[in-house]
Amino acid sequence: MSTAADAGQSGFDRDKAGAGAPVLAVTDLGVSVRGEDGERPVVENLSFTLRRGETLCIAGESGSGKSMTALAIMGLLPRPAALLSSGSIRLNEVELSQLPESRMRQIRGDRIAMIFQEPMTSLNPVLSIGRQLIEAIETHTSMSRSQARARALAALQGVRISDAERRLRQFPHEMSGGMRQRVMIAMALALQPDVLIADEPTTALDVTVQGEVLELLRDLQRDQGTAIILITHDMGVVAEMADRVIVMRRGSMVEEGPVTRIFDAPQAPYTQELLASVPRLGGGAGRQATRAPEAVEPASAVAEIRDLHVRFDLHGGFFGRVDRRVHAVEGISFSIPPNQTLALVGESGCGKSTTARAIAGLLPYSGEIVIGGRNLAALDRSERKAVRRDVQMIFQDPHASLDPRMRVGDIVAEPLVVHAMGSRKDQAEHVAWLFERVGLPPDAVARYPHEFSGGQRQRISIARALALRPRLIIADEAVSALDVSVRARVLELLRELQRDFAVSYLFISHDMAVVENISDRVAVMYLGQIVETGTRDQVFANPRHPYTRRLIEAVPVPDPARRRPHFARLDREIPSPVRRADDPPPRLLLRDVGDGHLVAA
Amino acid sequence: MIVYLGRRLIQAALILFGVSIITFALLYLLPADPVRQIAGRSATAETVENIRRQLGLDQPFLVQYWRYVLKLMSGDLGRSYIQRSEVTELIMSRLPASLLLMVGAIICEVSIGLTMGLIAAMRRGTVTDRALMVSSFVGVSAPQFVVGLLLLYVFAVRLGWLPIGGYGTWQHLVLPSLTLGILGAGWYSRMMRSSMIDVLTQDYIRTAHAKGLAGRVVLLRHALPNAILPVIAMIGIDIGLFMSGIVVVESVFGWPGIGQLAWQAIQRVDVPIIMGVTLVSACAIVLGNLIADIVAPFIDPRIRLK
């Protein structure tokens, strides 16, 4: 224990100190999935040893078999589709791979615990937090209800949840994502397991919350000596957390080693490629060069947004009158010059997607939206439809945003059909040209969305958005769901298209590193208002608003040498944008701190 | 909660108003003449006109409706044309039997339907699953009078386990409840199966397994309450289906409920009784939905009222 604690303070050189006795030994692990075309291996020949107090990161992109490895260790492979085809898993001298389910059940949740990616759906919505915590404790101990309750309370306090007594009685939907993930951690660690498997534990969380959760895991590990297997696609998280790293690709281990060696001297070409495609603040491959801010007259701007408000009424009371409002967007103004990228950043619920949807004409709004010099509100239906051609959108989820029953060629051609552009033949030619332009094979037009990977689907979405030669493309978290290497290529494509077609982007993202990589100008949103805006360099090199600073500081740095002992801590939960109808939020005033760098006072 | 109930009651009153005006209009437009039915075939034209005037049926539609509504306000559903007694009394004397039948049917459909759906979901893709789904399909598609007669033939006539018809003991209740419930059971088993299959793939079920809970606990404590939610909303709607079902089932089994009353009244164009039964049915449907809405928050905290 003391070695682990000491090592924790001295940072990432724990691996050299040889943390402790081995707790988990995986030898020659193989997992197969049964499909229509027979068994297909998804994990092959995987071997590693996990020591007490150690953090092992399994890094890799989707389909690398990292989650299957975790489920295999837990004995939770989705049967009958997946099965353990070979190898041994030993936990403290107990062979798990041969264990009958009844024995495995005693180990699961007690000696090995697991937390998952999706905190929003990983807790049962109809049972109280207390019930779910106590249940886990009672299953594995002979404690009385009140003892179990006391243990649950202690576990909640252990994950720094304030007012734990009251939280026990709450239900999952009453908590934020970060809170729920902490509850999951409390549940997993309440019985002090030997091994904790964390499968993408912070991927679904906002970046400031991610920092807190990572720090919490680190602290709990130091106190309890738990060995952690952390599964992640995010090399920043790896650099912050790992003692040792396994890089996986297509079911096999590509490289293994201490974290410093993996980052400083990666051996395998794949590891090198993976690290190169990670977007980094202030650098990284393919970063947008700083472009001189052209002096843009408002009239020449592609889009000019003035004092935009989007509010949603909530009805209550006996007559269903409006008694509360969601102030999703509160008086924001910005303009997007031609051939430039404005990034709108902020955490979930800040109103960035609502802004996008209002500009795309998908939501009622108040204020002014001027596209190409024409004010949307002043136009009639047909004129508005014509203006719509100039604004197109790309969405986050490449799996959900394409109609599964349409051929992708038809999907891309649909905007042309809707706006009656050209003959059938012209349309087909245009679609073929678009496919070539976004880097898809010409024969792809006749296929269906499910036949493509996530990155390819996002290219299809881009082709659809480009079909009408718009002046503005709104990319709403368009690369967030993609693997890093794919993401880098899609970002490159977006930049290339901007060069060739002089299209402007409104790039909406929560990922500061990506934003820093692609944008010319940045606007930071918080609770429906812009708190800071300026050129990319102004905002990132000289962030003036505390919220902007916190966002930038919270980004995990993909460099273990710059690992920090503490993350920026959120002093409180972000307040709700729901307010009483007669109580609008105070208006933030933006002050120019030089050269058009605006900061909320 | 009180505000909510108040709103629902106002909605209910509006629904009942709509139902009453539509039913009244339909009966008014009906080619069958109630007065002819009362007077008999041999009555003179003068007698017929007399009766028509006595009953106020010579008045224009709106006047007739207005009179009806005025009486309705004081709880008076009028007098039966044929049976010469108050409709309210007639309905009240038969309502308990129908309610009993309805409770029996709900118990049948919920217990049979949910159990079948649960087993089918757990044994998904097996022979058991397929057999259960085929039988639920039969339950859904078989007409109720066929099911009723079939059950009568097997259990009452051939086996002699249960009485052929009538009212009084629990044995009398079994076959009519089953007949009425089998349709719903078929629906419920299908809904329960798909709902359960959906719930079993949810992340929180994986979490429950990861805690090391026994399969039975995961199923009953974590999956069932989530899977049952859509089914509960259905029970409210079902009461409407029952109302049409009891007309048939009560006739087949000679069950002295309002279904039988309605059946007799329809044959003789006894407008006040038809109106009365329709309004009571509408009340039951509204009430059923209200109860379903009130029960749901107890299972699902997300829709708990502020």
Side-chain angles (χ1 to χ4, degrees):
Chain A
M1 192 71 173
S2 67
T3 43
D6 296 341
Q9 260 116 42
S10 62
F12 47 88
D13 53 4
R14 248 182 290 177
D15 46 280
K16 288 176 215 142
V23 278
L24 184 76
V26 172
T27 321
D28 198 25
L29 182 75
V31 179
S32 316
V33 171
R34 280 198 200 119
E36 284 165 11
D37 42 352
E39 274 184 26
R40 189 170 51 84
V42 289
V43 178
E44 284 179 298
N45 302 327
L46 182 66
S47 304
F48 62 84
T49 314
L50 183 69
R51 295 172 181 280
R52 193 174 153 71
E54 182 185 40
T55 301
L56 173 72
C57 277
I58 301 183
E61 299 185 295
S62 45
S64 61
K66 51 196 196 308
S67 288
M68 279 296 180
T69 306
L71 292 176
I73 296 169
M74 287 296 284
L76 283 178
L77 285 173
R79 258 174 284 244
L83 69 150
L84 202 67
S85 53
S86 69
S88 108
I89 303 164
R90 292 183 77 81
L91 176 79
N92 298 328
E93 307 308 313
V94 182
E95 176 58 49
L96 299 185
S97 62
Q98 305 298 329
L99 221 53
E101 171 62 20
S102 56
R103 285 282 315 283
M104 190 62 213
R105 205 187 292 144
Q106 293 167 2
I107 288 173
R108 218 184 276 144
D110 186 33
R111 299 295 87 217
I112 310 182
M114 185 161 178
I115 54 178
F116 303 94
Q117 174 169 359
E118 279 299 333
M120 301 310 274
T121 53
S122 290
L123 290 165
N124 193 329
V126 306
L127 300 177
S128 70
I129 298 298
R131 180 110 192 256
Q132 297 189 54
L133 272 163
I134 290 166
E135 166 188 74
I137 296 163
E138 284 181 337
T139 306
H140 296 289
T141 63
S142 52
M143 287 186 196
S144 69
R145 178 55 65 95
S146 62
Q147 282 171 319
R149 199 185 135 81
R151 175 72 78 90
L153 198 65
L156 274 190
Q157 283 156 349
V159 295
R160 303 187 195 124
I161 285 183
S162 58
D163 209 358
E165 185 76 44
R166 188 171 58 88
R167 296 288 184 187
L168 279 181
R169 288 190 301 274
Q170 282 190 326
F171 287 89
H173 70 279
E174 296 172 80
M175 296 184 165
S176 65
M179 277 294 197
R180 292 190 210 186
Q181 197 61 302
R182 281 194 262 181
V183 169
M184 285 294 290
I185 295 173
M187 204 149 77
L189 294 182
L191 294 167
Q192 312 209 330
D194 300 320
V195 177
L196 173 70
I197 302 176
D199 187 358
E200 303 272 9
T202 57
T203 306
L205 301 176
D206 278 325
V207 63
T208 53
V209 183
Q210 162 170 297
E212 281 179 71
V213 169
L214 291 179
E215 190 180 336
L216 178 66
L217 280 175
R218 230 151 55 180
D219 292 354
L220 289 171
Q221 178 181 45
R222 198 174 48 221
D223 298 345
Q224 300 187 2
T226 317
I228 295 181
I229 297 178
L230 182 68
I231 291 169
T232 182
H233 70 284
D234 186 335
M235 295 311 277
V237 171
V238 173
E240 293 285 356
M241 299 292 290
D243 297 316
R244 254 178 338 121
V245 183
I246 289 176
V247 180
M248 284 184 76
R249 185 193 199 189
R250 297 199 193 124
S252 304
M253 188 195 290
V254 173
E255 186 162 4
E256 190 211 355
V259 65
T260 41
R261 204 202 34 73
I262 294 283
F263 277 83
D264 295 345
Q267 304 294 311
Y270 177 70
T271 315
Q272 293 164 359
E273 190 190 319
L274 196 64
L275 286 169
S277 52
V278 174
R280 293 156 203 258
L281 287 180
R287 178 171 179 264
Q288 178 89 30
T290 303
R291 295 190 275 193
E294 297 156 38
V296 185
E297 302 294 314
S300 74
V302 168
E304 178 79 30
I305 312 302
R306 289 188 217 111
D307 203 25
L308 179 72
H309 286 80
V310 182
R311 294 171 175 169
F312 302 104
D313 293 341
L314 297 178
H315 299 264
F318 191 79
F319 296 103
R321 272 184 311 220
V322 176
D323 60 349
R324 286 164 305 147
R325 284 199 184 92
V326 183
H327 294 262
V329 178
E330 272 298 303
I332 67 171
S333 306
F334 56 82
S335 78
I336 307 172
N339 199 15
Q340 293 246 327
T341 302
L342 171 74
L344 212 50
V345 292
E347 298 188 289
S348 42
C350 73
K352 54 193 194 303
S353 288
T354 309
T355 306
R357 286 164 59 201
I359 297 172
L362 301 174
L363 280 179
Y365 62 90
S366 64
E368 287 179 39
I369 296 178
V370 183
I371 305 289
R374 287 178 292 182
N375 192 331
L376 281 190
L379 304 176
D380 64 28
R381 271 180 83 98
S382 61
E383 286 173 318
R384 215 175 300 167
K385 189 176 168 188
V387 173
R388 287 279 160 71
R389 284 216 305 255
D390 288 342
V391 183
Q392 294 294 317
M393 260 185 113
I394 309 169
F395 299 94
Q396 171 169 7
D397 189 342
H399 296 274
S401 54
L402 301 174
D403 186 335
R405 284 180 185 78
M406 277 174 84
R407 292 174 197 280
V408 296
D410 296 335
I411 291 175
V412 175
E414 199 174 29
L416 300 169
V417 176
V418 170
H419 289 273
M421 311 263 286
S423 66
R424 269 281 162 87
K425 191 162 158 286
D426 294 343
Q427 290 174 356
E429 278 170 13
H430 191 55
V431 168
W433 178 79
L434 283 167
F435 269 63
E436 190 204 321
R437 208 57 208 75
V438 299
L440 289 168
D443 62 335
V445 287
R447 290 195 271 158
Y448 288 92
H450 70 266
E451 299 173 57
F452 297 90
S453 67
Q456 286 175 320
R457 286 187 217 205
Q458 216 53 328
R459 282 168 195 268
I460 295 166
S461 296
I462 292 170
R464 170 174 64 181
L466 270 179
L468 295 168
R469 294 297 298 273
R471 295 157 57 112
L472 174 66
I473 290 183
I474 302 172
D476 189 357
E477 299 277 9
V479 297
S480 305
L482 304 176
D483 279 325
V484 269
S485 58
V486 181
R487 176 189 298 176
R489 288 197 289 273
V490 171
L491 285 175
E492 184 48 46
L493 174 68
L494 286 175
R495 265 192 294 266
E496 200 182 295
L497 295 172
Q498 181 165 63
R499 246 188 341 261
D500 297 352
F501 298 108
V503 61
S504 300
Y505 294 126
L506 176 59
F507 192 88
I508 291 169
S509 182
H510 69 283
D511 187 330
M512 296 304 275
V514 169
V515 162
E516 208 264 353
N517 207 268
I518 196 172
S519 61
D520 297 300
R521 298 185 61 81
V522 178
V524 181
M525 278 187 83
Y526 176 78
L527 264 185
Q529 303 195 46
I530 289 177
V531 295
E532 180 159 2
T533 178
T535 64
R536 188 256 320 263
D537 296 349
Q538 283 171 341
V539 173
F540 278 89
N542 187 17
R544 300 293 284 267
H545 195 272
Y547 181 69
T548 314
R549 277 193 211 135
R550 209 166 57 203
L551 276 183
I552 294 173
E553 279 167 20
V555 179
V557 185
D559 179 1
R562 285 166 62 194
R563 184 178 288 184
R564 61 206 113 166
H566 294 292
F567 285 89
R569 187 76 66 80
L570 216 60
D571 28 13
R572 63 199 164 103
E573 298 252 303
I574 292 176
S576 163
V578 180
R579 303 178 71 101
R580 284 216 327 269
D582 52 0
D583 176 30
R587 185 70 182 270
L588 294 179
L589 288 176
L590 293 175
R591 196 164 50 86
D592 194 333
V593 295
D595 289 334
H597 183 184
L598 304 178
V599 182
Chain B
M1 189 69 188
I2 287 163
V3 169
Y4 175 77
L5 279 179
R7 277 208 347 233
R8 289 297 299 254
L9 282 176
I10 290 175
Q11 281 174 6
L14 287 173
I15 290 169
L16 290 181
F17 172 72
V19 167
S20 72
I21 197 160
I22 290 169
T23 320
F24 206 85
L26 283 176
L27 290 171
Y28 181 81
L29 294 170
L30 216 59
D33 184 356
V35 181
R36 279 271 165 218
Q37 291 283 332
I38 301 162
R41 223 162 282 171
S42 56
T44 62
E46 197 188 342
T47 325
V48 168
E49 276 319 301
N50 263 333
I51 296 173
R52 196 181 299 281
R53 212 167 330 139
Q54 268 180 19
L55 294 175
L57 294 177
D58 54 340
Q59 301 289 326
F61 172 73
L62 282 178
V63 176
Q64 285 189 36
Y65 180 68
W66 179 242
R67 285 182 183 168
Y68 184 79
V69 170
L70 278 186
K71 281 208 277 182
L72 192 62
M73 295 290 190
S74 54
D76 183 0
L77 288 168
R79 280 178 75 84
S80 161
Y81 293 162
I82 315 286
Q83 302 203 24
R84 302 277 163 199
S85 51
E86 294 292 327
V87 174
T88 320
E89 280 169 25
L90 280 170
I91 289 180
M92 289 318 278
S93 71
R94 282 163 171 262
L95 201 55
S98 286
L99 286 178
L100 187 64
L101 179 56
M102 207 138 71
V103 170
I106 290 181
I107 292 172
C108 282
E109 67 173 11
V110 170
S111 55
I112 298 174
L114 297 195
T115 315
M116 276 172 65
L118 206 63
I119 294 171
M122 283 158 56
R123 304 253 182 283
R124 188 186 175 187
T126 63
V127 180
T128 321
D129 177 20
R130 247 165 271 157
L132 283 171
M133 283 306 105
V134 167
S135 50
S136 89
F137 193 69
V138 172
V140 168
S141 42
Q144 274 173 333
F145 64 91
V146 175
V147 174
L149 291 176
L150 208 69
L151 288 174
L152 264 182
Y153 179 72
V154 175
F155 293 100
V157 179
R158 302 297 307 197
L159 298 172
W161 292 353
L162 294 161
I164 291 179
Y167 177 71
T169 67
W170 68 265
Q171 285 99 332
H172 287 102
L173 184 62
V174 176
L175 288 181
S177 308
L178 259 178
T179 311
L180 198 53
I182 271 178
L183 175 74
W187 282 120
Y188 283 10
S189 63
R190 305 195 140 237
M191 272 181 66
M192 189 66 194
R193 177 179 179 271
S194 63
S195 173
M196 196 70 187
I197 285 174
D198 181 52
V199 166
L200 287 176
T201 62
Q202 297 294 315
D203 289 347
Y204 52 81
I205 298 299
R206 188 182 53 187
T207 306
H209 282 296
K211 282 186 209 175
L213 300 181
R216 187 175 36 83
V217 178
V218 174
L219 207 65
L220 295 181
R221 195 185 295 162
H222 285 264
L224 191 60
N226 282 290
I228 214 166
L229 283 168
V231 180
I232 286 185
M234 270 297 284
I235 295 180
I237 299 168
D238 259 8
I239 292 177
L241 285 177
F242 283 151
M243 279 298 168
S244 61
I246 57 173
V247 176
V248 177
V249 172
E250 290 186 355
S251 306
V252 171
F253 290 94
W255 190 263
I258 58 169
Q260 209 183 39
L261 183 69
W263 178 238
Q264 290 159 0
I266 290 166
Q267 286 173 323
R268 292 141 113 186
V269 205
D270 198 342
V271 175
I273 293 186
I274 302 176
M275 279 300 295
V277 172
T278 310
L279 286 178
V280 168
S281 309
C283 274
I285 293 167
V286 169
L287 207 65
N289 279 309
L290 185 61
I291 291 171
D293 287 354
I294 292 173
V295 170
F298 285 98
I299 301 180
D300 189 350
R302 283 168 299 181
I303 46 179
R304 224 157 260 182
L305 298 159
K306 298 261 153 57

